[in-house]
Amino acid sequence: MAAFTIPDTQKAWVIVRKGVPARALKLDDKYPVAKKLAKGEVLVRVQAAAFNPISYKMIGLLPNFVMRRPHVAEHDFAGVIVDANGTDLQKGQEVYGWIPIPTQFLSRQGALCEYARVPAQLMLPKPPNVKTTEAAGLGLVGATAYHALFQSAKLEPGQSIFVNGGSTAVGIVAIQMAKALGCTVGASASGKKEEFLRGLGVDRFVDYTKGPVYEQLAKDPPTPKYHVFLEAVGTADPLFYTCSGAYLAPGGTFVTVGPQPSTSGGYVGIAKLMLAIMTPRFLGGVKASWKLISVSNRPDEFQQLGKYVTNGKVKGVVDSVFAFEDVLKAYERVMEGRSTGKVVVRVDPSVE
Ligand SMILES: NC(=O)c1ccc[n+]([C@@H]2O[C@H](COP(=O)([O-])OP(=O)(O)OC[C@H]3O[C@@H](n4cnc5c(N)ncnc54)[C@H](OP(=O)(O)O)[C@@H]3O)[C@@H](O)[C@H]2O)c1
């Protein structure tokens, strides 16, 4: 067998300017492969990469000097270690992981390329029974869901949780983790996703197209009320929080992926939400505590995510798989906001 040599250049989708992906990204077939690795970093041959909505939002919002462009796009990947650089990982080992935004800025590395230089602590060994395309999308949303449930909300076995946006990639992982813990789970999505969410074990389904979720829950409140409300859509509608007394138990936690002005409620909704959060309880403020998730590199939590994946309690759900050349079509799918699970790109066409 011919010896494998790491090439000097590679194909990579590089963000070169602010704007919509079709204008902002360029397929560079001479992007340098990072050969110099810092202590703790490894070089991965990327086999599949997955998308997160945060990426196209930031590409469209922030100028080059803030984003330290050009750099390779996206965060989630699965692949094979080609230089273990003295870490605990092995050359030839299959891994999956993610590249946080600050790491992407500083290192210029991203997931939409053939070779990425990544700190070893941001990846986990891929179990052999998990497909590469399934593993590729688990890093960022897995880290987010784990932090939301266990650090922000301190969810305990046997408690109950409602996931607004049960079919978002974050929601799908959160539901699987909560069910693994023996929790009762309610979730919302549009009606066509009920069967999928029931298949994940969802006990109560709310179709958000039939009326505001907070109204439907308040009209028919759960008994007992939920311990945790995970807002996994990013809605800026303050009523999810201000009405939560009807469906969240006293002392319960409202945890959110972050209200976004582009969603229902807009900037006015965010302003009203901030006012509600700041109003003390003795002045009629909301009883539930409000927590904002910010996903970041937390190695101990990431290892815990790996246990859920290895023991089959969390499975990667794939919405669609695109060829590496079709990254712009994949972005169109992500930007529709209708995917069920991850939108994935096969960098190595031979992987499952
Ligand atoms: N704070 C953080 O650290 C952090 C980390 C990760 C993600 N996020 C944010 O979390 C949100 C979810 O990200 P994601 O990647 O998981 O999203 P995603 O997978 O792209 O979400 C797509 C899903 O959202 C559902 N959806 C859309 N509007 C809905 C609504 N009003 N109610 C219920 N479901 C709705 C769609 O279901 P239907 O087709 O049925 O509408 C679709 O299945 C995004 O806003 C993202 O930016 C934040």
PDB file of all heavy atoms in Angstrom, residues 52-54 57 140-141 144 164-171 188-190 192-193 208 232-234 256-258 260 293-295 334 337-342, ligand 1:
ATOM      1  N   ASN A  52     -24.825  24.573  11.192  1.00  0.00           N
ATOM      2  CA  ASN A  52     -25.590  25.149  12.301  1.00  0.00           C
ATOM      3  C   ASN A  52     -26.105  26.512  11.867  1.00  0.00           C
ATOM      4  O   ASN A  52     -25.352  27.290  11.271  1.00  0.00           O
ATOM      5  CB  ASN A  52     -24.700  25.309  13.539  1.00  0.00           C
ATOM      6  CG  ASN A  52     -24.440  23.981  14.195  1.00  0.00           C
ATOM      7  OD1 ASN A  52     -25.282  23.444  14.900  1.00  0.00           O
ATOM      8  ND2 ASN A  52     -23.284  23.405  13.925  1.00  0.00           N
ATOM      9  N   PRO A  53     -27.385  26.835  12.193  1.00  0.00           N
ATOM     10  CA  PRO A  53     -27.936  28.120  11.728  1.00  0.00           C
ATOM     11  C   PRO A  53     -27.133  29.327  12.197  1.00  0.00           C
ATOM     12  O   PRO A  53     -27.118  30.359  11.520  1.00  0.00           O
ATOM     13  CB  PRO A  53     -29.354  28.147  12.309  1.00  0.00           C
ATOM     14  CG  PRO A  53     -29.599  26.841  12.965  1.00  0.00           C
ATOM     15  CD  PRO A  53     -28.368  26.010  12.898  1.00  0.00           C
ATOM     16  N   ILE A  54     -26.441  29.197  13.318  1.00  0.00           N
ATOM     17  CA  ILE A  54     -25.649  30.333  13.821  1.00  0.00           C
ATOM     18  C   ILE A  54     -24.648  30.808  12.763  1.00  0.00           C
ATOM     19  O   ILE A  54     -24.366  32.003  12.664  1.00  0.00           O
ATOM     20  CB  ILE A  54     -24.917  29.963  15.155  1.00  0.00           C
ATOM     21  CG1 ILE A  54     -24.186  31.169  15.754  1.00  0.00           C
ATOM     22  CG2 ILE A  54     -23.947  28.835  14.985  1.00  0.00           C
ATOM     23  CD1 ILE A  54     -25.074  32.231  16.277  1.00  0.00           C
ATOM     24  N   LYS A  57     -26.203  32.986  10.060  1.00  0.00           N
ATOM     25  CA  LYS A  57     -26.643  34.239  10.692  1.00  0.00           C
ATOM     26  C   LYS A  57     -25.437  35.165  10.894  1.00  0.00           C
ATOM     27  O   LYS A  57     -25.505  36.366  10.626  1.00  0.00           O
ATOM     28  CB  LYS A  57     -27.326  33.950  12.031  1.00  0.00           C
ATOM     29  CG  LYS A  57     -28.688  33.249  11.873  1.00  0.00           C
ATOM     30  CD  LYS A  57     -29.260  32.819  13.210  1.00  0.00           C
ATOM     31  CE  LYS A  57     -30.464  31.906  13.034  1.00  0.00           C
ATOM     32  NZ  LYS A  57     -30.898  31.266  14.289  1.00  0.00           N
ATOM     33  N   LEU A 140     -21.773  20.334  18.230  1.00  0.00           N
ATOM     34  CA  LEU A 140     -22.242  21.624  18.749  1.00  0.00           C
ATOM     35  C   LEU A 140     -23.605  21.502  19.433  1.00  0.00           C
ATOM     36  O   LEU A 140     -23.782  21.976  20.565  1.00  0.00           O
ATOM     37  CB  LEU A 140     -22.284  22.654  17.617  1.00  0.00           C
ATOM     38  CG  LEU A 140     -22.476  24.102  18.046  1.00  0.00           C
ATOM     39  CD1 LEU A 140     -21.814  25.054  17.056  1.00  0.00           C
ATOM     40  CD2 LEU A 140     -23.934  24.507  18.211  1.00  0.00           C
ATOM     41  N   VAL A 141     -24.560  20.850  18.773  1.00  0.00           N
ATOM     42  CA  VAL A 141     -25.891  20.775  19.399  1.00  0.00           C
ATOM     43  C   VAL A 141     -25.870  19.836  20.606  1.00  0.00           C
ATOM     44  O   VAL A 141     -26.615  20.035  21.563  1.00  0.00           O
ATOM     45  CB  VAL A 141     -27.012  20.384  18.407  1.00  0.00           C
ATOM     46  CG1 VAL A 141     -27.216  21.462  17.382  1.00  0.00           C
ATOM     47  CG2 VAL A 141     -26.785  19.030  17.759  1.00  0.00           C
ATOM     48  N   THR A 144     -24.562  21.840  23.418  1.00  0.00           N
ATOM     49  CA  THR A 144     -25.588  22.818  23.807  1.00  0.00           C
ATOM     50  C   THR A 144     -26.673  22.144  24.658  1.00  0.00           C
ATOM     51  O   THR A 144     -27.036  22.638  25.735  1.00  0.00           O
ATOM     52  CB  THR A 144     -26.252  23.431  22.552  1.00  0.00           C
ATOM     53  OG1 THR A 144     -25.238  23.952  21.700  1.00  0.00           O
ATOM     54  CG2 THR A 144     -27.226  24.535  22.914  1.00  0.00           C
ATOM     55  N   ASN A 164     -39.617  23.476  23.610  1.00  0.00           N
ATOM     56  CA  ASN A 164     -40.225  24.251  22.522  1.00  0.00           C
ATOM     57  C   ASN A 164     -39.272  24.183  21.332  1.00  0.00           C
ATOM     58  O   ASN A 164     -38.135  24.649  21.418  1.00  0.00           O
ATOM     59  CB  ASN A 164     -40.433  25.703  22.956  1.00  0.00           C
ATOM     60  CG  ASN A 164     -41.247  26.480  21.945  1.00  0.00           C
ATOM     61  OD1 ASN A 164     -42.318  26.023  21.544  1.00  0.00           O
ATOM     62  ND2 ASN A 164     -40.750  27.623  21.506  1.00  0.00           N
ATOM     63  N   GLY A 165     -39.748  23.561  20.245  1.00  0.00           N
ATOM     64  CA  GLY A 165     -38.850  23.299  19.119  1.00  0.00           C
ATOM     65  C   GLY A 165     -38.251  21.915  19.280  1.00  0.00           C
ATOM     66  O   GLY A 165     -37.029  21.742  19.200  1.00  0.00           O
ATOM     67  N   GLY A 166     -39.114  20.919  19.470  1.00  0.00           N
ATOM     68  CA  GLY A 166     -38.629  19.552  19.681  1.00  0.00           C
ATOM     69  C   GLY A 166     -37.925  18.984  18.466  1.00  0.00           C
ATOM     70  O   GLY A 166     -37.083  18.093  18.593  1.00  0.00           O
ATOM     71  N   SER A 167     -38.229  19.504  17.264  1.00  0.00           N
ATOM     72  CA  SER A 167     -37.598  18.958  16.062  1.00  0.00           C
ATOM     73  C   SER A 167     -36.391  19.786  15.612  1.00  0.00           C
ATOM     74  O   SER A 167     -35.823  19.529  14.557  1.00  0.00           O
ATOM     75  CB  SER A 167     -38.612  18.856  14.923  1.00  0.00           C
ATOM     76  OG  SER A 167     -39.055  20.156  14.548  1.00  0.00           O
ATOM     77  N   THR A 168     -35.997  20.788  16.404  1.00  0.00           N
ATOM     78  CA  THR A 168     -34.723  21.441  16.102  1.00  0.00           C
ATOM     79  C   THR A 168     -33.617  20.437  16.458  1.00  0.00           C
ATOM     80  O   THR A 168     -33.841  19.517  17.261  1.00  0.00           O
ATOM     81  CB  THR A 168     -34.514  22.719  16.944  1.00  0.00           C
ATOM     82  OG1 THR A 168     -34.453  22.351  18.334  1.00  0.00           O
ATOM     83  CG2 THR A 168     -35.644  23.722  16.755  1.00  0.00           C
ATOM     84  N   ALA A 169     -32.447  20.625  15.880  1.00  0.00           N
ATOM     85  CA  ALA A 169     -31.357  19.681  16.166  1.00  0.00           C
ATOM     86  C   ALA A 169     -31.018  19.700  17.657  1.00  0.00           C
ATOM     87  O   ALA A 169     -30.735  18.657  18.261  1.00  0.00           O
ATOM     88  CB  ALA A 169     -30.148  20.026  15.318  1.00  0.00           C
ATOM     89  N   VAL A 170     -31.067  20.892  18.280  1.00  0.00           N
ATOM     90  CA  VAL A 170     -30.830  20.983  19.738  1.00  0.00           C
ATOM     91  C   VAL A 170     -31.928  20.222  20.474  1.00  0.00           C
ATOM     92  O   VAL A 170     -31.660  19.434  21.387  1.00  0.00           O
ATOM     93  CB  VAL A 170     -30.811  22.464  20.198  1.00  0.00           C
ATOM     94  CG1 VAL A 170     -30.761  22.557  21.717  1.00  0.00           C
ATOM     95  CG2 VAL A 170     -29.631  23.220  19.588  1.00  0.00           C
ATOM     96  N   GLY A 171     -33.184  20.454  20.070  1.00  0.00           N
ATOM     97  CA  GLY A 171     -34.322  19.816  20.726  1.00  0.00           C
ATOM     98  C   GLY A 171     -34.256  18.299  20.626  1.00  0.00           C
ATOM     99  O   GLY A 171     -34.539  17.592  21.599  1.00  0.00           O
ATOM    100  N   SER A 188     -42.926  20.753  21.171  1.00  0.00           N
ATOM    101  CA  SER A 188     -43.709  21.380  20.106  1.00  0.00           C
ATOM    102  C   SER A 188     -42.983  21.271  18.772  1.00  0.00           C
ATOM    103  O   SER A 188     -41.745  21.214  18.725  1.00  0.00           O
ATOM    104  CB  SER A 188     -43.943  22.860  20.427  1.00  0.00           C
ATOM    105  OG  SER A 188     -42.723  23.560  20.318  1.00  0.00           O
ATOM    106  N   ALA A 189     -43.760  21.244  17.725  1.00  0.00           N
ATOM    107  CA  ALA A 189     -43.278  21.327  16.336  1.00  0.00           C
ATOM    108  C   ALA A 189     -44.522  21.522  15.494  1.00  0.00           C
ATOM    109  O   ALA A 189     -45.640  21.578  16.041  1.00  0.00           O
ATOM    110  CB  ALA A 189     -42.535  20.059  15.923  1.00  0.00           C
ATOM    111  N   SER A 190     -44.380  21.581  14.183  1.00  0.00           N
ATOM    112  CA  SER A 190     -45.580  21.600  13.345  1.00  0.00           C
ATOM    113  C   SER A 190     -46.118  20.171  13.269  1.00  0.00           C
ATOM    114  O   SER A 190     -45.368  19.201  13.449  1.00  0.00           O
ATOM    115  CB  SER A 190     -45.245  22.153  11.960  1.00  0.00           C
ATOM    116  OG  SER A 190     -44.294  21.321  11.333  1.00  0.00           O
ATOM    117  N   LYS A 192     -46.846  17.918  11.175  1.00  0.00           N
ATOM    118  CA  LYS A 192     -46.279  16.825  10.370  1.00  0.00           C
ATOM    119  C   LYS A 192     -45.095  16.145  11.077  1.00  0.00           C
ATOM    120  O   LYS A 192     -44.654  15.074  10.664  1.00  0.00           O
ATOM    121  CB  LYS A 192     -45.883  17.318   8.977  1.00  0.00           C
ATOM    122  CG  LYS A 192     -44.880  18.451   8.970  1.00  0.00           C
ATOM    123  CD  LYS A 192     -44.668  18.984   7.551  1.00  0.00           C
ATOM    124  CE  LYS A 192     -43.668  20.124   7.500  1.00  0.00           C
ATOM    125  NZ  LYS A 192     -44.063  21.321   8.260  1.00  0.00           N
ATOM    126  N   LYS A 193     -44.602  16.751  12.152  1.00  0.00           N
ATOM    127  CA  LYS A 193     -43.451  16.154  12.864  1.00  0.00           C
ATOM    128  C   LYS A 193     -43.869  15.385  14.116  1.00  0.00           C
ATOM    129  O   LYS A 193     -43.012  14.895  14.858  1.00  0.00           O
ATOM    130  CB  LYS A 193     -42.446  17.249  13.205  1.00  0.00           C
ATOM    131  CG  LYS A 193     -41.992  17.933  11.925  1.00  0.00           C
ATOM    132  CD  LYS A 193     -40.658  18.532  11.946  1.00  0.00           C
ATOM    133  CE  LYS A 193     -40.282  18.954  10.533  1.00  0.00           C
ATOM    134  NZ  LYS A 193     -39.315  20.016  10.505  1.00  0.00           N
ATOM    135  N   TYR A 208     -47.494  23.816  17.041  1.00  0.00           N
ATOM    136  CA  TYR A 208     -47.436  25.286  17.179  1.00  0.00           C
ATOM    137  C   TYR A 208     -48.211  26.010  16.083  1.00  0.00           C
ATOM    138  O   TYR A 208     -48.497  27.202  16.208  1.00  0.00           O
ATOM    139  CB  TYR A 208     -45.987  25.777  17.247  1.00  0.00           C
ATOM    140  CG  TYR A 208     -45.231  25.788  15.932  1.00  0.00           C
ATOM    141  CD1 TYR A 208     -45.329  26.847  15.037  1.00  0.00           C
ATOM    142  CD2 TYR A 208     -44.375  24.743  15.594  1.00  0.00           C
ATOM    143  CE1 TYR A 208     -44.624  26.856  13.846  1.00  0.00           C
ATOM    144  CE2 TYR A 208     -43.666  24.742  14.398  1.00  0.00           C
ATOM    145  CZ  TYR A 208     -43.804  25.802  13.534  1.00  0.00           C
ATOM    146  OH  TYR A 208     -43.105  25.812  12.344  1.00  0.00           O
ATOM    147  N   ALA A 232     -35.968  25.994  22.506  1.00  0.00           N
ATOM    148  CA  ALA A 232     -34.901  25.587  21.572  1.00  0.00           C
ATOM    149  C   ALA A 232     -35.106  26.128  20.164  1.00  0.00           C
ATOM    150  O   ALA A 232     -34.469  25.656  19.230  1.00  0.00           O
ATOM    151  CB  ALA A 232     -34.806  24.059  21.545  1.00  0.00           C
ATOM    152  N   VAL A 233     -35.982  27.125  20.017  1.00  0.00           N
ATOM    153  CA  VAL A 233     -36.216  27.714  18.691  1.00  0.00           C
ATOM    154  C   VAL A 233     -35.410  29.010  18.540  1.00  0.00           C
ATOM    155  O   VAL A 233     -34.825  29.284  17.497  1.00  0.00           O
ATOM    156  CB  VAL A 233     -37.724  28.011  18.481  1.00  0.00           C
ATOM    157  CG1 VAL A 233     -37.949  28.770  17.176  1.00  0.00           C
ATOM    158  CG2 VAL A 233     -38.526  26.724  18.475  1.00  0.00           C
ATOM    159  N   GLY A 234     -35.392  29.797  19.632  1.00  0.00           N
ATOM    160  CA  GLY A 234     -34.751  31.111  19.558  1.00  0.00           C
ATOM    161  C   GLY A 234     -35.783  32.204  19.389  1.00  0.00           C
ATOM    162  O   GLY A 234     -35.494  33.288  18.877  1.00  0.00           O
ATOM    163  N   THR A 256     -33.085  28.967  27.664  1.00  0.00           N
ATOM    164  CA  THR A 256     -33.285  29.322  26.249  1.00  0.00           C
ATOM    165  C   THR A 256     -31.977  29.328  25.456  1.00  0.00           C
ATOM    166  O   THR A 256     -30.916  29.668  26.005  1.00  0.00           O
ATOM    167  CB  THR A 256     -33.971  30.700  26.122  1.00  0.00           C
ATOM    168  OG1 THR A 256     -34.005  31.076  24.746  1.00  0.00           O
ATOM    169  CG2 THR A 256     -33.246  31.776  26.901  1.00  0.00           C
ATOM    170  N   VAL A 257     -32.104  28.962  24.166  1.00  0.00           N
ATOM    171  CA  VAL A 257     -30.953  29.051  23.260  1.00  0.00           C
ATOM    172  C   VAL A 257     -30.655  30.493  22.878  1.00  0.00           C
ATOM    173  O   VAL A 257     -29.645  30.775  22.247  1.00  0.00           O
ATOM    174  CB  VAL A 257     -31.175  28.223  21.967  1.00  0.00           C
ATOM    175  CG1 VAL A 257     -31.194  26.740  22.253  1.00  0.00           C
ATOM    176  CG2 VAL A 257     -32.428  28.670  21.239  1.00  0.00           C
ATOM    177  N   GLY A 258     -31.547  31.411  23.266  1.00  0.00           N
ATOM    178  CA  GLY A 258     -31.276  32.830  23.011  1.00  0.00           C
ATOM    179  C   GLY A 258     -32.301  33.431  22.086  1.00  0.00           C
ATOM    180  O   GLY A 258     -32.436  32.980  20.941  1.00  0.00           O
ATOM    181  N   GLN A 260     -33.946  35.592  19.364  1.00  0.00           N
ATOM    182  CA  GLN A 260     -33.331  36.227  18.194  1.00  0.00           C
ATOM    183  C   GLN A 260     -34.314  37.184  17.532  1.00  0.00           C
ATOM    184  O   GLN A 260     -35.477  36.831  17.320  1.00  0.00           O
ATOM    185  CB  GLN A 260     -32.879  35.130  17.232  1.00  0.00           C
ATOM    186  CG  GLN A 260     -31.712  34.365  17.834  1.00  0.00           C
ATOM    187  CD  GLN A 260     -31.517  32.983  17.263  1.00  0.00           C
ATOM    188  OE1 GLN A 260     -31.804  32.751  16.102  1.00  0.00           O
ATOM    189  NE2 GLN A 260     -31.015  32.084  18.085  1.00  0.00           N
ATOM    190  N   ILE A 293     -28.399  29.908  27.391  1.00  0.00           N
ATOM    191  CA  ILE A 293     -27.284  28.987  27.119  1.00  0.00           C
ATOM    192  C   ILE A 293     -26.284  29.661  26.192  1.00  0.00           C
ATOM    193  O   ILE A 293     -26.680  30.329  25.240  1.00  0.00           O
ATOM    194  CB  ILE A 293     -27.748  27.731  26.347  1.00  0.00           C
ATOM    195  CG1 ILE A 293     -28.997  27.139  26.945  1.00  0.00           C
ATOM    196  CG2 ILE A 293     -26.644  26.682  26.276  1.00  0.00           C
ATOM    197  CD1 ILE A 293     -29.722  26.277  25.938  1.00  0.00           C
ATOM    198  N   SER A 294     -25.020  29.455  26.462  1.00  0.00           N
ATOM    199  CA  SER A 294     -24.001  29.868  25.511  1.00  0.00           C
ATOM    200  C   SER A 294     -23.056  28.687  25.359  1.00  0.00           C
ATOM    201  O   SER A 294     -22.315  28.356  26.285  1.00  0.00           O
ATOM    202  CB  SER A 294     -23.281  31.105  26.042  1.00  0.00           C
ATOM    203  OG  SER A 294     -22.273  31.435  25.149  1.00  0.00           O
ATOM    204  N   VAL A 295     -23.123  28.039  24.210  1.00  0.00           N
ATOM    205  CA  VAL A 295     -22.307  26.836  24.045  1.00  0.00           C
ATOM    206  C   VAL A 295     -20.837  27.228  23.958  1.00  0.00           C
ATOM    207  O   VAL A 295     -20.476  28.204  23.319  1.00  0.00           O
ATOM    208  CB  VAL A 295     -22.749  26.044  22.782  1.00  0.00           C
ATOM    209  CG1 VAL A 295     -22.497  26.801  21.494  1.00  0.00           C
ATOM    210  CG2 VAL A 295     -22.071  24.676  22.732  1.00  0.00           C
ATOM    211  N   VAL A 334     -30.706  24.668   5.141  1.00  0.00           N
ATOM    212  CA  VAL A 334     -30.583  25.136   6.539  1.00  0.00           C
ATOM    213  C   VAL A 334     -31.395  26.420   6.722  1.00  0.00           C
ATOM    214  O   VAL A 334     -32.120  26.583   7.705  1.00  0.00           O
ATOM    215  CB  VAL A 334     -29.099  25.408   6.912  1.00  0.00           C
ATOM    216  CG1 VAL A 334     -28.983  25.888   8.355  1.00  0.00           C
ATOM    217  CG2 VAL A 334     -28.252  24.170   6.707  1.00  0.00           C
ATOM    218  N   GLY A 337     -35.143  26.641   7.558  1.00  0.00           N
ATOM    219  CA  GLY A 337     -35.549  26.468   8.968  1.00  0.00           C
ATOM    220  C   GLY A 337     -36.543  25.334   9.174  1.00  0.00           C
ATOM    221  O   GLY A 337     -37.254  25.308  10.173  1.00  0.00           O
ATOM    222  N   ARG A 338     -36.594  24.388   8.251  1.00  0.00           N
ATOM    223  CA  ARG A 338     -37.598  23.303   8.323  1.00  0.00           C
ATOM    224  C   ARG A 338     -36.936  21.940   8.504  1.00  0.00           C
ATOM    225  O   ARG A 338     -37.612  20.930   8.501  1.00  0.00           O
ATOM    226  CB  ARG A 338     -38.462  23.255   7.042  1.00  0.00           C
ATOM    227  CG  ARG A 338     -39.296  24.492   6.772  1.00  0.00           C
ATOM    228  CD  ARG A 338     -40.596  24.493   7.564  1.00  0.00           C
ATOM    229  NE  ARG A 338     -40.504  24.980   8.914  1.00  0.00           N
ATOM    230  CZ  ARG A 338     -40.531  26.247   9.292  1.00  0.00           C
ATOM    231  NH1 ARG A 338     -40.617  27.202   8.418  1.00  0.00           N
ATOM    232  NH2 ARG A 338     -40.471  26.575  10.567  1.00  0.00           N
ATOM    233  N   SER A 339     -35.608  21.885   8.663  1.00  0.00           N
ATOM    234  CA  SER A 339     -34.945  20.584   8.714  1.00  0.00           C
ATOM    235  C   SER A 339     -35.297  19.830   9.996  1.00  0.00           C
ATOM    236  O   SER A 339     -35.558  20.427  11.038  1.00  0.00           O
ATOM    237  CB  SER A 339     -33.432  20.763   8.587  1.00  0.00           C
ATOM    238  OG  SER A 339     -32.994  21.729   9.496  1.00  0.00           O
ATOM    239  N   THR A 340     -35.312  18.497   9.880  1.00  0.00           N
ATOM    240  CA  THR A 340     -35.524  17.646  11.054  1.00  0.00           C
ATOM    241  C   THR A 340     -34.208  16.930  11.292  1.00  0.00           C
ATOM    242  O   THR A 340     -33.911  15.918  10.670  1.00  0.00           O
ATOM    243  CB  THR A 340     -36.647  16.618  10.783  1.00  0.00           C
ATOM    244  OG1 THR A 340     -37.817  17.342  10.387  1.00  0.00           O
ATOM    245  CG2 THR A 340     -36.958  15.798  12.028  1.00  0.00           C
ATOM    246  N   GLY A 341     -33.385  17.484  12.162  1.00  0.00           N
ATOM    247  CA  GLY A 341     -32.037  16.958  12.361  1.00  0.00           C
ATOM    248  C   GLY A 341     -31.045  17.758  11.538  1.00  0.00           C
ATOM    249  O   GLY A 341     -31.320  18.876  11.095  1.00  0.00           O
ATOM    250  N   LYS A 342     -29.895  17.148  11.320  1.00  0.00           N
ATOM    251  CA  LYS A 342     -28.790  17.920  10.751  1.00  0.00           C
ATOM    252  C   LYS A 342     -28.714  17.859   9.233  1.00  0.00           C
ATOM    253  O   LYS A 342     -28.956  16.821   8.616  1.00  0.00           O
ATOM    254  CB  LYS A 342     -27.457  17.381  11.305  1.00  0.00           C
ATOM    255  CG  LYS A 342     -27.305  17.492  12.798  1.00  0.00           C
ATOM    256  CD  LYS A 342     -27.449  18.891  13.336  1.00  0.00           C
ATOM    257  CE  LYS A 342     -26.327  19.800  12.928  1.00  0.00           C
ATOM    258  NZ  LYS A 342     -26.474  21.128  13.627  1.00  0.00           N
TER     259      LYS A 342
HETATM  260  N1  LIG B   1     -27.114  29.626  22.514  1.00  0.00           N
HETATM  261  C1  LIG B   1     -26.387  28.671  21.961  1.00  0.00           C
HETATM  262  O1  LIG B   1     -25.285  28.373  22.409  1.00  0.00           O
HETATM  263  C2  LIG B   1     -26.956  27.928  20.752  1.00  0.00           C
HETATM  264  C3  LIG B   1     -26.341  26.751  20.326  1.00  0.00           C
HETATM  265  C4  LIG B   1     -26.919  26.050  19.262  1.00  0.00           C
HETATM  266  C5  LIG B   1     -28.043  26.564  18.614  1.00  0.00           C
HETATM  267  N2  LIG B   1     -28.569  27.739  19.042  1.00  0.00           N
HETATM  268  C6  LIG B   1     -29.812  28.266  18.426  1.00  0.00           C
HETATM  269  O2  LIG B   1     -30.802  27.294  18.678  1.00  0.00           O
HETATM  270  C7  LIG B   1     -31.798  27.354  17.663  1.00  0.00           C
HETATM  271  C8  LIG B   1     -32.025  25.956  17.127  1.00  0.00           C
HETATM  272  O3  LIG B   1     -30.880  25.556  16.390  1.00  0.00           O
HETATM  273  P1  LIG B   1     -30.929  24.163  15.608  1.00  0.00           P
HETATM  274  O4  LIG B   1     -29.678  24.032  14.828  1.00  0.00           O
HETATM  275  O5  LIG B   1     -31.275  23.110  16.560  1.00  0.00           O
HETATM  276  O6  LIG B   1     -32.168  24.484  14.632  1.00  0.00           O
HETATM  277  P2  LIG B   1     -32.672  23.709  13.360  1.00  0.00           P
HETATM  278  O7  LIG B   1     -32.395  22.255  13.516  1.00  0.00           O
HETATM  279  O8  LIG B   1     -32.186  24.368  12.128  1.00  0.00           O
HETATM  280  O9  LIG B   1     -34.262  23.992  13.466  1.00  0.00           O
HETATM  281  C9  LIG B   1     -35.129  23.558  12.463  1.00  0.00           C
HETATM  282  C10 LIG B   1     -36.411  23.110  13.138  1.00  0.00           C
HETATM  283  O10 LIG B   1     -37.019  24.217  13.816  1.00  0.00           O
HETATM  284  C11 LIG B   1     -38.406  23.943  13.903  1.00  0.00           C
HETATM  285  N3  LIG B   1     -39.146  25.167  14.161  1.00  0.00           N
HETATM  286  C12 LIG B   1     -39.088  26.318  13.451  1.00  0.00           C
HETATM  287  N4  LIG B   1     -39.911  27.239  13.994  1.00  0.00           N
HETATM  288  C13 LIG B   1     -40.519  26.649  15.056  1.00  0.00           C
HETATM  289  C14 LIG B   1     -41.458  27.104  16.022  1.00  0.00           C
HETATM  290  N5  LIG B   1     -41.948  28.347  15.992  1.00  0.00           N
HETATM  291  N6  LIG B   1     -41.836  26.248  16.991  1.00  0.00           N
HETATM  292  C15 LIG B   1     -41.344  24.982  17.034  1.00  0.00           C
HETATM  293  N7  LIG B   1     -40.440  24.500  16.142  1.00  0.00           N
HETATM  294  C16 LIG B   1     -40.031  25.333  15.166  1.00  0.00           C
HETATM  295  C17 LIG B   1     -38.718  23.355  12.541  1.00  0.00           C
HETATM  296  O11 LIG B   1     -39.841  22.533  12.683  1.00  0.00           O
HETATM  297  P3  LIG B   1     -41.099  22.759  11.697  1.00  0.00           P
HETATM  298  O12 LIG B   1     -40.636  22.341  10.336  1.00  0.00           O
HETATM  299  O13 LIG B   1     -42.127  21.871  12.306  1.00  0.00           O
HETATM  300  O14 LIG B   1     -41.429  24.220  11.756  1.00  0.00           O
HETATM  301  C18 LIG B   1     -37.452  22.553  12.194  1.00  0.00           C
HETATM  302  O15 LIG B   1     -37.618  21.169  12.459  1.00  0.00           O
HETATM  303  C19 LIG B   1     -31.285  28.331  16.615  1.00  0.00           C
HETATM  304  O16 LIG B   1     -31.889  29.577  16.866  1.00  0.00           O
HETATM  305  C20 LIG B   1     -29.789  28.403  16.915  1.00  0.00           C
HETATM  306  O17 LIG B   1     -29.210  29.603  16.474  1.00  0.00           O
HETATM  307  C21 LIG B   1     -28.067  28.429  20.095  1.00  0.00           C
END
